[in-house]
């Protein structure tokens, strides 16, 4: 558990020198406890205190970084068990597996899909994060060749996987400049793999047979000075693997149990031969509590739902999602096309734009900034009201795109139509349907 | 280092509720731990899936969702029978879409007649889901309740605006109510209290937190359900210790991404599999958050989710 301000204060110099920018050591300690200051701001803290504070202030699930340059993937650093308590920190990494037993065409297809299957949603780019490169044959030269091929095709971080140390070493050295995750240290090779990770300055996964063995392995690696560790419990049955994910996260967060305080890696790709089942297993791990999920393949129908689920689970639970306030062109509108206005709550925008698109009626959709509130909430908060909508429509630039002056407002805003006519005297205000589902029928009738 | 699994001492338990009557009655709820945390508690009744049937022929369904039902889709009775006989449905939800005053606006009498035929045609428990129009839902659900006395049908959605009328029907004719609130734990609790004050028994309430589909509000539903379960199980909040029901199929199959044809956006992959995966990933997330009943549409989605429920509940 994190230290209190008083506990931190005891470790500070207590000179009140103010060199940190805060008048007293106690005030500085309080800021540290609240996460509003960095210990580095204090130039006088002793090395001993610093070590104690660093350990105590490290998050209960330690962070791990995979990759280099512009393609850094971060996992771990989580602080809570439930998303309503505080936003989850690092979204579950989605990785695709390629092996030296796959045909070139199969490898190429996965790498191409890795690069192509990106989705723009609410201004966010949704995509997979890592490629897991695995030697199944154990042939070091073949593995090195595969690693180099993958490096040439994708820029992301890599997971280098082999059961055989020499092969792992060959692959890891070929990928060293990418700071890969080495998979895996087991009870048979933990010293050698740990030393390799130290030598290459990269992260390392442990693969145990159950939690007790995992604890032995992580304890051994931290004893060697390694900090960037990822855990595979070895379980490949959903029920067991799921329980272990829960137990590990809880032990780390509630008990600050360091040997299990690392991000985890899971292998839905080894748990079934059916891509749809695999996708659902992955969806359970995205909710609870995998750091990385390794998939056997990436196809639009499988990866898109997982990316959206991950976005949903990892969004800030406090803040309503907002979409960009602007004029949206739907179905190629022209100067005679209808104009609709709504708020910038993402769900409102998605549903309204989806229905307009589905109607196939070319339309202009004006999305007004209401701080991400829905139509009714924004109205109640005095944001989606006539004297705000009027100026917004005038300034939006829509009049340069259309010949008519007809505006459709949401059915739930019917009571502002009179005032809005006063704000927009040149315009004819029409009240649209209350439910988005009725927009297509309404629009088809409207343009008749 | 010896490792003791840190366990939660759950002080509360979800009520066990029986839907339907006779030998096909279905028990839900009863959990004494967070969903599938079977190392520290029990789920005597695993989550159940109810197959949805519409009371008129839907005209805007994705092709993939119509396909399994194309021989019965205009006939709710045949449709419900097919769900039970061919797909082994344990529960049927009749979506009373025809009564929507903004749509077909079928009369209460006519809608109730069709519903009663469906209820009589299947031996499994039936859930009736209206259109959240208080006057119309009250009118239709009261009629059905009266004609099917003692069948322990589940009547929903029951909201603050119509709980007295529908609740009274459930008390008089011995049915269950689905207490529905707009993704808000306090409103959910308040509605349960109101229903209790009205005289609806503890064994007659299911809770609908309002379901958001994947990408369309799923995270709000997810967190409200997690908070609901936390209050019920660890804070002994008796007014939240009811099974949760989620209307998944209607929500996920109406979103744009479930309806697009493959050629309209090839990056989204095969249209049929995509629709099924969107329904299933939504269902999985809701299972993780505490759903006891999932109302679902596609038979392949249901097969997959049943498999996942079985796997999640088999720790060894």
């Amino acid at each position: 558990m994190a230290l209190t301000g008083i506990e931190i204060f005891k470790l500070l110099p207590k000179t009140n020198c103010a060199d940190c920018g805060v008048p007293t050591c106690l005030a500085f300690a309080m800021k540290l406890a609240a996460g509003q200051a960095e210990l580095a701001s204090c130039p006088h803290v002793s090395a001993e205190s610093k070590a104690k504070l660093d350990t105590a202030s490290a998050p209960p699930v330690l962070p791990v970084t995979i990759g280099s340059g512009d393609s850094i993937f971060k996992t771990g650093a989580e602080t809570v068990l439930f998303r309503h308590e505080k936003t989850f920190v690092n979204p579950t990494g989605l990785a695709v597996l390629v092996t030296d037993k796959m045909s070139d065409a199969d490898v190429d297809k996965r790498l191409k899909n890795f690069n192509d299957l990106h989705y723009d949603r609410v201004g966010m780019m949704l995509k997979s994060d890592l490629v897991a490169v695995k030697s199944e044959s154990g042939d070091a030269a073949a593995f090195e060749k595969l690693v180099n091929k993958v490096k040439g095709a994708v820029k992301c971080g890599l997971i280098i996987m082999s059961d055989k140390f020499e092969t792992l070493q060959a692959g890891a050295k070929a990928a060293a400049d990418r700071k890969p995750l080495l998979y895996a240290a087991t009870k048979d090779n933990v010293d050698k793999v740990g030393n390799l990770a130290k030598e290459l300055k990269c992260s390392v996964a442990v693969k145990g047979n159950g939690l007790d063995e995992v604890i032995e392995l992580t304890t051994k690696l931290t004893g060697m000075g390694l900090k960037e560790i990822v855990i595979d419990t070895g379980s490949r049955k959903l029920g067991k693997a799921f329980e272990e994910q829960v137990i590990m996260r809880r032990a780390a967060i509630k008990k600050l149990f360091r040997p299990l305080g690392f991000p985890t890696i899971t292998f839905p790709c080894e748990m079934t031969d059916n891509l749809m089942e695999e996708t659902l297993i992955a969806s359970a791990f995205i909710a609870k509590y995998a750091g990385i999920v390794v998939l056997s393949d990436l196809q639009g129908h499988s990866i898109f739902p997982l990316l959206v689920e991950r976005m949903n689970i990892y969004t800030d639970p406090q803040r309503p999602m907002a979409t960009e306030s602007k004029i949206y062109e739907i179905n190629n509108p022209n100067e005679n096309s209808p104009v609709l206005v709504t708020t910038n709550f993402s769900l409102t925008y998605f549903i309204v734009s989806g229905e307009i698109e589905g109607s196939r009626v070319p339309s202009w959709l004006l999305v007004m900034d209401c701080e991400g509130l829905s139509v009714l909430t924004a109205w109640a908060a005095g944001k989606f009201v006539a004297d705000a909508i009027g100026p917004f429509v005038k300034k939006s630039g829509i009049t340069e795109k259309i010949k008519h002056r007809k505006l459709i407002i949401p059915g739930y805003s019917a009571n502002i139509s009179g005032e809005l006519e006063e704000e927009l005297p040149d315009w004819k205000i029409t009240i649209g349907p209350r439910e988005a589902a009725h927009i297509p029928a309404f629009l088809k009738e409207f343009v008749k | 280092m010896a490792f003791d699994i840190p366990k939660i001492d759950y002080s509360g338990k979800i009520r066990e509720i029986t839907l339907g009557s006779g030998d096909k009655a279905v028990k839900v709820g009863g959990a004494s731990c967070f969903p599938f945390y079977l190392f520290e508690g029990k789920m005597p009744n695993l989550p159940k899936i109810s197959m949805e049937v519409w009371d008129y022929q839907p005209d805007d369904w994705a092709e993939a969702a119509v396909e399994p039902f194309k021989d019965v889709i205009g006939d709710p009775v045949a449709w419900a029978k097919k769900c039970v006989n061919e797909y082994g449905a344990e529960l049927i939800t009749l979506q009373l879409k025809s009564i929507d005053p903004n749509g077909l606006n079928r009369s209460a009498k006519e809608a109730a007649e069709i519903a009663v035929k469906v209820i009589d045609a299947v031996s499994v428990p039936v859930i009736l889901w209206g259109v959240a129009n208080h006057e119309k839902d009250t009118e239709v659900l009261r009629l059905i309740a009266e004609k099917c006395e003692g069948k322990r049908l589940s009547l929903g959605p029951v909201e603050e605006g119509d709980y007295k009328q529908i609740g009274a029907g459930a008390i008089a004719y011995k049915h269950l109510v689905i207490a529905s609130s707009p993704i808000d734990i306090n409103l959910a609790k308040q509605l349960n209290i109101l229903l209790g004050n009205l005289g609806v028994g503890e064994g007659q309430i299911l809770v609908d937190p309002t379901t958001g589909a994947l990408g369309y509000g799923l995270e709000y539903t997810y967190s409200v359900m997690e908070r609901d379960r936390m209050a019920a199980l660890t804070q002994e909040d008796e007014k939240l210790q009811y099974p949760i029901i989620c209307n998944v199929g209607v929500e996920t199959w109406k979103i744009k991404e479930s309806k697009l044809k493959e050629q309209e956006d090839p990056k989204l992959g095969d249209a049929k599999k995509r629709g099924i995966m969107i329904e299933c990933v939504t269902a999985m997330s809701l299972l993780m958050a505490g759903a006891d009943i999932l109302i679902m549409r596609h038979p392949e989605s249901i097969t997959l989710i049943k498999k996942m429920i079985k796997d999640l509940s088999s720790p060894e």
Side-chain angles (χ1 to χ4, degrees):
Chain A
M1 219 51 51
L3 294 181
T4 65
I6 298 296
E7 285 165 332
I8 296 173
F9 174 66
K10 288 178 185 159
L11 295 166
L12 294 177
K14 303 193 207 65
T15 51
N16 297 337
C17 68
D19 286 353
C20 62
V22 180
T24 66
C25 288
L26 182 60
F28 181 60
M30 292 299 172
K31 279 188 177 284
L32 282 176
Q36 293 163 349
E38 296 282 334
L39 184 63
S41 309
C42 174
H44 311 297
V45 66
S46 72
E48 192 192 344
S49 292
K50 188 172 179 307
K52 277 188 192 164
L53 284 166
D54 278 347
T55 313
S57 62
V61 180
L62 288 182
V64 170
T65 301
I66 303 168
S68 59
D70 295 337
S71 295
I72 298 272
F73 167 77
K74 287 184 180 166
T75 180
E78 299 298 338
T79 59
V80 295
L81 291 166
F82 296 96
R83 66 182 290 282
H84 63 257
E85 296 169 333
K86 196 162 183 253
T87 317
F88 288 164
V89 181
N90 286 309
T92 309
L94 298 174
V96 65
L97 180 72
V98 297
T99 77
D100 62 352
K101 282 270 177 78
M102 283 178 189
S103 69
D104 276 353
D106 279 348
V107 171
D108 290 341
K109 194 186 81 185
R110 281 166 178 76
L111 298 176
K112 183 176 182 332
N113 281 350
F114 180 88
N115 286 327
D116 288 353
L117 296 180
H118 296 182
Y119 307 91
D120 187 4
R121 202 177 165 85
V122 218
M124 280 171 74
M125 188 55 79
L126 308 184
K127 58 189 182 69
S128 325
D129 310 276
L130 301 162
V131 175
V133 194
K134 182 178 181 181
S135 166
E136 296 208 75
S137 70
D139 177 339
F143 191 45
E144 204 180 317
K145 200 174 140 221
L146 180 64
V147 169
N148 282 320
K149 176 189 169 88
V150 173
K151 278 176 70 181
V154 297
K155 291 202 175 73
C156 66
L158 305 176
I159 304 168
I160 300 296
M161 302 174 65
S162 174
D163 292 343
K164 218 170 125 188
F165 178 75
E166 289 70 27
T167 312
L168 182 69
Q169 188 175 33
K173 289 200 165 158
D177 57 334
R178 291 279 180 101
K179 297 281 169 236
L181 170 65
L182 306 188
Y183 182 96
T186 63
K187 70 178 189 333
D188 299 326
N189 67 12
V190 59
D191 291 300
K192 283 195 283 188
V193 174
N195 280 324
L196 180 63
K198 270 179 98 164
E199 179 195 337
L200 300 178
K201 295 191 176 59
C202 57
S203 52
V204 58
V206 299
K207 181 183 183 183
N209 179 16
L211 292 176
D212 287 331
E213 198 173 298
V214 164
I215 292 166
E216 279 173 40
L217 290 168
T218 59
T219 307
K220 176 105 191 179
L221 289 177
T222 42
M224 293 168 72
L226 289 159
K227 283 183 179 155
E228 300 211 48
I229 300 169
V230 173
I231 294 174
D232 172 12
T233 61
S235 299
R236 296 295 182 263
K237 296 268 188 227
L238 178 57
K240 185 79 182 161
F242 171 78
E243 283 190 0
E244 287 168 346
Q245 294 296 316
V246 172
I247 292 166
M248 288 191 285
R249 174 71 81 89
R250 191 189 285 164
I253 285 172
K254 292 292 179 197
K255 301 287 176 196
L256 203 67
F257 185 67
R258 288 290 178 198
L260 293 177
F262 299 98
T264 63
I265 184 166
T266 58
F267 290 89
C269 60
E270 293 179 9
M271 296 167 71
T272 169
D273 295 329
N274 173 324
L275 185 61
M276 295 182 54
E277 282 183 21
E278 181 185 314
T279 303
L280 299 187
I281 294 170
S283 77
F285 288 140
I286 287 173
K288 298 198 173 173
Y289 287 109
I292 298 170
V293 165
V294 184
L295 303 165
S296 67
D297 198 2
L298 299 176
Q299 295 196 17
H301 73 262
S302 63
I303 193 67
F304 174 74
L306 291 179
L307 289 166
V308 177
E309 183 204 14
R310 179 178 75 174
M311 178 183 76
N312 284 169
I313 298 288
Y314 279 84
T315 45
D316 178 352
Q318 302 296 333
R319 201 170 41 197
M321 290 202 301
T323 194
E324 193 188 343
S325 169
K326 64 170 190 180
I327 303 172
Y328 290 83
E329 302 180 13
I330 304 178
N331 304 328
N332 298 317
N334 63 28
E335 58 194 20
N336 298 315
S337 303
V339 179
L340 302 91
V341 64
T342 192
T343 73
N344 72 331
F345 181 40
S346 292
L347 297 181
T348 303
Y349 165 72
F350 276 139
I351 294 166
V352 170
S353 63
E355 293 292 348
I356 298 173
E357 205 173 305
S359 76
R360 307 196 187 277
V361 176
S363 307
W364 305 96
L365 177 62
L366 305 182
V367 171
M368 181 172 152
D369 181 5
C370 297
E371 293 171 22
L373 299 176
S374 66
V375 168
L376 270 181
T377 326
W379 170 74
K383 296 184 196 303
F384 196 65
V385 291
D387 56 5
I389 300 172
F392 164 70
V393 171
K394 283 183 201 159
K395 283 184 202 151
S396 68
I398 186 67
T399 48
E400 289 151 34
K401 298 177 186 286
I402 52 168
K403 275 185 171 169
H404 66 83
R405 292 291 180 268
K406 286 183 256 177
L407 181 67
I408 302 166
I409 63 171
Y412 280 111
S413 305
N415 58 353
I416 62 163
S417 67
E419 290 168 51
L420 193 55
E421 274 167 358
E422 284 171 30
E423 291 285 337
L424 296 168
D426 309 338
W427 289 70
K428 181 175 183 310
I429 310 294
T430 304
I431 299 164
R434 288 160 78 100
E435 298 299 333
H438 300 128
I439 288 177
F442 171 86
L443 278 179
K444 282 175 198 159
E445 192 60 32
F446 188 80
V447 296
K448 255 186 194 165
Chain B
M1 200 180 300
F3 175 63
D4 284 327
I5 294 175
K7 291 186 182 172
I8 293 179
D9 191 8
Y10 297 100
S11 50
K13 195 176 148 187
I14 305 303
R15 288 189 181 84
E16 195 169 66
I17 307 269
T18 306
L19 284 76
S21 55
D23 57 353
K24 290 286 171 67
V26 169
K27 273 188 195 168
V28 297
S32 60
C33 59
F34 288 139
F36 305 102
Y37 286 26
L38 297 169
F39 58 95
E40 59 185 8
K42 289 194 170 63
M43 292 174 82
N45 305 298
L46 291 175
K48 295 286 190 297
I49 297 169
S50 175
M51 286 188 83
E52 69 169 317
V53 171
W54 282 31
D55 71 343
Y56 79 107
Q57 184 164 346
D59 52 12
D60 60 348
W61 277 26
E63 225 169 84
V66 173
E67 202 273 331
F69 304 110
K70 58 177 188 287
D71 51 334
V72 292
I73 201 155
D75 179 351
V77 171
W79 185 348
K81 280 183 165 170
K82 181 169 186 173
C83 289
V84 175
N85 298 335
E86 200 163 310
Y87 298 119
E90 291 174 274
L91 293 167
I92 293 289
T93 296
L94 184 64
Q95 311 270 15
L96 301 165
K97 294 285 180 185
S98 72
I99 67 172
D100 190 348
N102 295 313
L104 197 58
N105 200 19
R106 192 178 270 164
S107 76
K109 185 166 169 286
E110 203 185 337
E113 270 168 24
I114 294 169
V116 171
K117 277 186 197 157
V118 172
I119 293 161
D120 288 342
V122 296
S123 50
V124 302
V126 176
I127 295 162
L128 296 151
W129 204 288
V131 291
N133 176 301
H134 298 157
E135 294 79 39
K136 196 63 185 277
D137 281 358
T138 299
E139 207 185 335
V140 177
L141 292 174
R142 289 280 307 237
L143 261 181
I144 300 171
E146 190 182 335
K147 289 184 182 176
C148 300
E149 180 165 4
K151 291 214 168 185
R152 293 185 69 81
L153 304 170
S154 305
L155 313 175
V158 172
E159 301 180 332
E160 208 177 325
D162 56 16
Y163 81 93
K164 283 186 184 161
Q165 294 79 3
I166 302 175
I171 297 168
Y173 304 109
K174 301 183 183 62
H175 299 296
L176 315 184
V177 295
I178 298 167
S180 180
S181 47
I183 320 194
D184 184 309
I185 190 169
N186 296 314
L187 295 179
K189 183 173 172 177
Q190 183 185 321
L191 183 55
N192 294 345
I193 293 172
L194 291 173
L195 284 164
N197 293 346
L198 187 69
V200 177
E202 285 180 351
Q204 286 177 281
I205 298 177
L206 301 171
V207 167
D208 161 34
T210 300
T211 300
L214 184 69
Y216 293 82
L218 172 64
E219 69 274 36
Y220 298 95
T221 306
Y222 182 91
S223 281
V224 156
M225 285 170 62
E226 283 201 328
R227 291 178 60 199
D228 183 308
R229 275 298 137 105
M230 194 178 274
L233 295 171
T234 67
Q235 293 147 23
E236 291 166 87
D237 196 330
E238 289 185 11
K239 295 299 171 194
L240 289 169
Q241 291 170 338
Y242 294 101
I244 295 177
I245 180 166
C246 296
N247 204 353
V248 178
V250 269
E251 295 302 324
T252 71
W253 284 97
K254 80 177 181 198
I255 70 172
K256 185 174 70 183
E257 291 83 355
S258 295
K259 288 185 177 177
L260 282 177
K261 296 190 188 332
E262 183 167 359
Q263 59 270 28
E264 290 178 278
D265 194 345
K267 282 206 299 191
L268 292 175
D270 180 88
K272 175 182 165 186
K273 289 180 181 167
R274 181 199 332 127
I276 291 172
M277 281 296 97
I278 289 173
E279 181 172 30
C280 284
V281 170
T282 305
M284 282 298 282
S285 308
L286 297 171
L287 283 174
M288 298 280 110
D292 294 286
I293 304 173
L294 298 165
I295 304 172
M296 296 182 65
R297 181 170 297 176
H298 202 287
E300 288 182 42
S301 300
I302 293 168
T303 306
L304 282 162
I305 291 297
K306 279 187 176 164
K307 170 86 166 42
M308 290 298 130
I309 291 172
K310 182 165 166 276
D311 289 354
L312 276 166
S313 57
S314 320
E316 294 304 327

